[in-house]
Amino acid sequence: MNADTMERAAYAGYELRFQSLFDAGRAYAFPCDAQGHVDMDRLSDRARANYLYARTVVGRELLTPSVQKSL
């Protein structure tokens, strides 16, 4: 297994989820490893902007993120 394959395997199956404080049906979710680390270099420009926004509004619009198994 090369380093790139190992890195992809670490990110497979987990997501960092930011749930809305006000709307239970609204959330932001981003691929991450089991510890909740998001590789921002692998995100699209839009996903990266959403990730940075979600981090900024924790406690005001979104709950503290949680690591969950991807569906």
Side-chain angles (χ1 to χ4, degrees):
M1 218 184 245
N2 67 28
D4 189 47
T5 303
M6 289 174 31
E7 185 176 336
R8 282 190 195 158
Y11 282 81
Y14 294 96
E15 66 183 19
L16 188 64
R17 187 172 183 83
F18 296 81
Q19 187 69 42
S20 171
L21 284 168
F22 308 107
D23 182 355
R26 184 169 174 242
Y28 292 91
F30 306 94
C32 69
D33 64 14
Q35 288 76 40
H37 301 122
V38 174
D39 184 352
M40 292 192 344
D41 292 334
R42 291 184 181 263
L43 296 177
S44 68
D45 290 342
R46 183 173 180 161
R48 186 178 310 109
N50 285 338
Y51 176 66
L52 293 172
Y53 170 78
R55 288 179 23 176
T56 301
V57 297
V58 166
R60 290 178 293 190
E61 293 183 27
L62 302 172
L63 293 170
T64 302
S66 62
V67 177
Q68 298 180 356
K69 286 278 195 181
S70 296
L71 299 177

